[in-house]
Amino acid sequence: MTETDGAADPSRAPGLAALVPKPAAERAERELSALGVYDDSRGIASYDDERVALPVVGEAPTDREGTVEAVAAVEDVVAYDLPSRDTTLADRLRARGFTEAEIDAAPASWAVVGTVLLADFDGCPRAGEVGDALLELHGEADTVLDRGGIAGRTRDPDVTVVAGAGDTETVHTEYGTRYALDLAKTMFSPGNKAERARMGDVTGPEERVFDMFAGVGYFALPMARAGAEVVAAELDPTTYQYLVENAVLNDVTDRFRAVRADCADVELAPVDRVVMGHYDAYERLSAGVAAVREGGTLHLHEATPEAELPDRPVGRLERAVADADRDCEVLAVREVKSYAEGVQHVVVDARVE
């Protein structure tokens, strides 16, 4: 978006905007909200190639003393007219001359991961123009990707650049956890956000944790940031490099050990908590059960047809525990998100004796 794109109503004086580097936009938005100076009635926009304009309240830049300036990422505060947050993708497409049928075929939902916007453009006409409109709505993003499927044992993504700079490498921040990744090479599921945060909440300091399918550290990093001692296994070499980098990025290297290996081949003493965050994790259940200590907790993820809930994932876990001549208590079967029509991503939480 150019500066003139924000000036939708020349009769109205522009409000204030805090200028921050694009990679720091999410963190700055959160900190400005905590200070009570973020204006959530207006949207955000690109200010230039490097910076984002975030809406803040106030009468003049001098009013920011001790408030906006307290956010380290803020480089300046300027008068800048940002669009109302009520502006929608449909509004912007109509302004571009799209028909209602074309608007109906545009993505109905999308996610911003760092500076990359992910959406499903299957059947979408004039995808490049739709991508440009999405970039106008989300000034923190500079690249739009059409997300295809996920393939193979290491869940490699299939993506296509639709609009923007085409830079697929980014740093994404969630609840203070930072994830460096390349969305053209490494899988990241925005829909798992609450589950990633939850693992940090349920894990206690000094717990010993084994994350068997670590990826770039989806669950391992929040647990390590909570004070746990984490062993994280990842087989894919590119994803493993980001896993190691992210341990440094989150300052948890003193209690974090990344292992590039099949999780079933990792040798370690029984741990307090085992996380099996892969849809085919049941194939490694014998290794997961062996890794958890008596009285420890195991989290089994699975993509399960709704008609087979909760029997299939619970049955698989209970059989693996019985095969190890052990017992378990199922604590919960939780639905994380819809995986596909009629299929749910679920997690079985169980205490293994």
Side-chain angles (χ1 to χ4, degrees):
M1 179 186 290
T2 64
E3 292 188 32
T4 55
D5 287 324
D9 185 358
S11 67
R12 178 170 58 85
L16 294 180
L19 305 183
V20 302
K22 287 187 176 183
E26 183 177 351
R27 175 169 54 87
E29 180 179 346
R30 185 171 60 252
E31 294 178 3
L32 290 167
S33 296
L35 289 169
V37 296
Y38 189 79
D39 182 2
D40 58 11
S41 69
R42 295 183 290 149
I44 67 176
S46 290
Y47 186 78
D48 53 31
D49 289 342
E50 303 296 331
R51 294 177 295 176
V52 170
L54 301 180
V56 293
V57 297
E59 298 299 327
T62 54
D63 290 342
R64 63 197 175 101
E65 185 70 23
T67 54
V68 176
E69 284 186 339
V71 178
V74 172
E75 296 180 353
D76 197 4
V77 175
V78 299
Y80 192 64
D81 197 9
L82 290 164
S84 167
R85 196 170 284 277
D86 292 337
T87 302
T88 66
L89 176 61
D91 293 332
R92 291 184 177 268
L93 295 182
R94 288 189 187 98
R96 291 171 177 264
F98 276 61
T99 67
E100 292 303 312
E102 289 175 324
I103 292 171
D104 288 343
S109 63
W110 51 87
V112 179
V113 178
T115 55
V116 180
L117 190 148
L118 297 170
D120 181 0
F121 286 83
D122 186 30
C124 175
R126 301 161 66 179
E129 291 185 59
V130 175
D132 289 338
L134 285 168
L135 288 176
E136 292 177 359
L137 283 174
H138 295 277
E140 71 273 35
D142 57 25
T143 296
V144 177
L145 296 181
D146 180 5
R147 55 183 171 193
I150 301 292
R153 184 179 179 187
T154 54
R155 307 204 70 205
D156 299 321
D158 177 18
V159 299
T160 303
V161 175
V162 170
D167 186 0
T168 58
E169 189 172 35
T170 190
V171 176
H172 177 64
T173 305
E174 285 182 0
Y175 303 108
T177 301
R178 303 177 71 191
Y179 299 93
L181 71 162
D182 187 332
L183 287 159
K185 300 176 181 177
T186 55
M187 187 276 295
F188 190 89
S189 176
N192 292 353
K193 181 177 182 178
E195 184 66 16
R196 288 189 286 269
R198 178 181 177 274
M199 294 312 300
D201 291 338
V202 302
T203 304
E206 311 303 328
E207 273 196 27
R208 293 170 296 113
V209 175
F210 181 29
D211 186 344
M212 298 180 66
F213 304 90
V216 298
Y218 316 113
F219 305 117
L221 292 169
M223 293 188 292
R225 291 185 66 240
E229 296 181 7
V230 178
V231 175
E234 173 54 43
L235 188 61
D236 179 71
T238 299
T239 305
Y240 172 78
Q241 290 175 4
Y242 282 109
L243 177 64
V244 173
E245 178 182 341
N246 287 333
V248 177
L249 195 61
N250 287 276
D251 194 26
V252 295
T253 53
D254 61 325
R255 53 189 179 277
F256 194 97
R257 180 164 68 95
V259 182
R260 188 188 161 201
D262 186 311
C263 56
D265 297 330
V266 177
E267 296 183 3
L268 73 171
V271 299
D272 302 302
R273 190 179 301 273
V274 170
V275 181
M276 305 186 71
H278 193 290
Y279 292 141
D280 296 326
Y282 67 91
E283 296 177 352
R284 295 291 187 273
L285 262 170
S286 59
V289 172
V292 66
R293 68 165 176 82
E294 183 178 335
T297 304
L298 187 146
H299 305 277
L300 173 66
H301 290 238
E302 185 182 286
T304 311
E306 293 173 351
E308 298 185 54
L309 282 173
D311 295 343
R312 192 176 82 174
V314 170
R316 284 171 166 169
L317 174 58
E318 289 179 337
R319 285 191 294 274
V321 171
D323 288 344
D325 199 24
R326 300 177 67 177
D327 295 316
C328 72
E329 175 189 359
V330 174
L331 304 174
V333 180
R334 296 176 295 103
E335 294 185 4
V336 176
K337 66 179 187 298
S338 174
Y339 173 73
E341 185 175 356
V343 181
Q344 291 294 318
H345 172 186
V346 300
V347 182
V348 181
D349 298 333
R351 180 180 296 109
V352 181
E353 303 297 342

